[in-house]
Amino acid sequence: MIPFLDLRQINSSYRHELIDAMTRVLDSGWYIQGSEVTAFEQEFAAYCGTRHCVGVANGLDALILTLRAWKEMGKLTDGDEVIVPANTYIASILAIIENRLKPVLVEPSENTFNLCPHKTRRAITNKTKAIVAVHLYGQMCPMPELMNLANEFNLLLLEDAAQAHGASIDGRKAGSWGHAAGFSFYPGKNLGALGDAGAVSTNDDDLSQTIRALGNYGSHKKYENLYQGINSRLDEMQAAILRVKLQHLNDEVERRRKIAQYYLQNINNQFVDLPYSGNQESHVWHLFVIRSKSRTAIQAHLKREGVNTMIHYPIPPHKQEAMKYYQNIELPITESIHKEVLSIPMGPQLTVEEAERIASALNKFE
């Protein structure tokens, strides 16, 4: 059976480096807010091309704390509207709700599944104050157009870059286009820790300082609290692990792109729609997501052929019980996407032989 994602195999490639990094932290005797976090923040900021990176506990906190910081800075207030793609993972929307802001769910582009500038423009009202651009499946949103829109209407633009580590447009990486970006380092991400971890990247000095304080109980100085903050900090062990894996990220992205190109060139089935690939540098293929009205049958067929798959995501956010107050709205594009998408194996651990087996299995479906 070909696993959907074999994290043990991926991490075993760097076993000795990871053990050395963990031993370094263990022997240091310093486990929170130490030199490993500082070093990773500097290295990841340099990688993204931003002045600042602030480590936090997870990707959801990265989004929540950024929006919260903008409220503390007077740039947002309760009830402000925030545009977000309707087909995203629910975390993108939870971050908005958590801050007592109003999510405005916008249908995505049917080609890319990402925000469309034209649809985004139509959703802007005099209450709109921010846009959350989700780089879904590893493909960047059209950031030049969205930034122009944000500038035209004086809106904040937050990148949800949880799936897009290393993607870029015109040489500028995800995380450096918006006013800020939230990253997740969940183990299954392209840059994954060995537990929960996250970060915010930004060029805004004041924003970075505010987020850092908010994630440290609201404290900018020991035992002095500017804000009613929370505890959301990247710990030393995960930072040390991420420093190792960051060194290999570009190579892993290239392997993902080669696998994706193989799929795109060799999967040929009338019942399967392949993902839009666009510009190669803008996609890091966190997931390879096919689309079919025969999804259930295809998934069962692939399992019989020895291929594990996953669905990202089976239920759209507005149909979740947690968001039942949205269940009466109609979002036909989003709903059809969630009914038809299927993720096939994708990752740097895949061999050429496995990719061939997966493509062959898909082609045999009828």
Side-chain angles (χ1 to χ4, degrees):
M1 180 71 74
I2 299 175
F4 178 74
L5 182 66
D6 191 339
L7 290 177
R8 182 171 59 180
Q9 184 178 349
I10 292 172
N11 290 318
S12 68
S13 303
Y14 316 121
R15 179 182 180 86
H16 296 299
E17 293 174 78
L18 291 171
I19 290 174
D20 287 346
M22 290 186 279
T23 301
R24 188 171 67 241
V25 174
L26 178 64
D27 292 345
S28 75
W30 194 291
Y31 308 121
I32 298 289
Q33 293 187 309
S35 60
E36 296 291 343
V37 170
T38 299
F40 173 72
E41 288 177 338
Q42 293 171 347
E43 290 161 8
F44 193 63
Y47 180 83
C48 293
T50 58
R51 285 203 300 272
H52 304 286
C53 167
V54 182
V56 296
N58 54 69
L60 175 55
D61 280 1
L63 300 176
I64 289 174
L65 287 170
T66 301
L67 294 169
R68 168 76 187 282
W70 279 331
K71 290 185 73 177
E72 294 289 353
M73 296 165 68
K75 296 187 176 184
L76 292 174
T77 191
D78 287 4
D80 284 344
E81 293 181 354
V82 180
I83 290 172
V84 62
N87 62 311
T88 184
Y89 182 56
I90 196 171
S92 311
I93 300 169
L94 291 177
I96 299 168
I97 295 170
E98 178 68 19
N99 280 286
R100 297 188 297 276
L101 303 166
K102 182 182 178 181
V104 176
L105 307 182
V106 174
E107 291 270 59
S109 160
E110 286 203 77
N111 286 332
T112 65
F113 299 170
N114 280 337
L115 274 181
C116 164
H118 299 296
K119 294 178 182 178
T120 302
R121 177 183 288 274
R122 290 199 295 269
I124 295 172
T125 72
N126 57 6
K127 295 181 180 179
T128 307
K129 300 299 179 185
I131 300 170
V132 176
V134 182
H135 304 319
L136 198 64
Y137 307 150
Q139 181 163 227
M140 287 186 69
C141 293
M143 292 308 296
E145 293 88 344
L146 289 176
M147 273 306 303
N148 288 340
L149 203 57
N151 291 333
E152 179 182 346
F153 289 93
N154 194 28
L155 304 177
L156 296 165
L157 181 52
L158 173 58
E159 295 177 68
D160 182 340
Q163 301 182 356
H165 317 71
S168 60
I169 295 174
D170 296 333
R172 285 181 59 183
K173 282 194 168 61
S176 68
W177 280 89
H179 297 104
F183 285 90
S184 168
F185 305 120
Y186 181 79
K189 303 299 185 184
N190 288 23
L191 178 59
L194 300 188
D196 273 321
V200 178
S201 62
T202 184
N203 287 314
D204 187 325
D205 300 345
D206 292 339
L207 179 63
S208 70
Q209 292 172 10
T210 306
I211 291 171
R212 192 176 298 282
L214 284 169
N216 187 37
Y217 302 98
S219 175
H220 66 300
K221 183 178 180 182
K222 195 171 180 68
Y223 301 129
E224 294 184 19
N225 301 75
L226 281 174
Y227 316 105
Q228 296 177 11
I230 63 172
N231 177 11
S232 181
R233 301 176 299 207
L234 175 64
D235 71 64
E236 285 287 283
M237 191 67 76
Q238 299 300 343
I241 290 163
L242 288 167
R243 291 184 68 198
V244 170
K245 299 188 75 176
L246 180 59
Q247 298 175 45
H248 302 283
L249 178 57
N250 285 343
D251 289 339
E252 290 197 357
V253 166
E254 287 309 308
R255 287 201 288 276
R256 288 175 180 271
R257 285 173 173 157
K258 287 179 181 177
I259 294 162
Q261 287 306 307
Y262 181 86
Y263 284 159
L264 291 170
Q265 293 168 8
N266 291 278
I267 295 173
N268 184 16
N269 187 301
Q270 63 176 325
F271 299 106
V272 173
D273 291 330
L274 294 173
Y276 175 82
S277 57
N279 188 318
Q280 187 179 38
E281 70 165 350
S282 69
H283 208 323
V284 291
W285 299 101
H286 171 60
L287 298 170
F288 191 95
V289 182
I290 63 174
R291 187 173 179 181
S292 176
K293 289 181 171 29
S294 305
R295 177 177 72 186
T296 301
I298 289 176
Q299 188 171 35
H301 164 77
L302 289 175
K303 188 173 184 179
R304 290 192 297 271
E305 292 287 324
V307 178
N308 275 324
T309 59
M310 288 187 69
I311 298 172
H312 296 87
Y313 306 96
I315 305 173
H318 72 285
K319 293 297 183 182
Q320 298 283 359
E321 181 64 22
M323 294 181 62
K324 55 188 176 185
Y325 39 85
Y326 280 102
Q327 289 182 0
N328 291 328
I329 67 173
E330 293 185 3
L331 297 166
I333 295 174
T334 291
E335 289 163 24
S336 66
I337 287 172
H338 285 260
K339 288 177 183 176
E340 297 173 5
V341 291
L342 181 66
S343 302
I344 64 176
M346 166 56 70
Q349 85 290 349
L350 277 180
T351 65
V352 173
E353 292 75 20
E354 287 173 329
E356 290 173 349
R357 279 180 55 195
I358 294 163
S360 176
L362 260 175
N363 289 340
K364 285 193 287 185
F365 176 80
E366 57 185 23

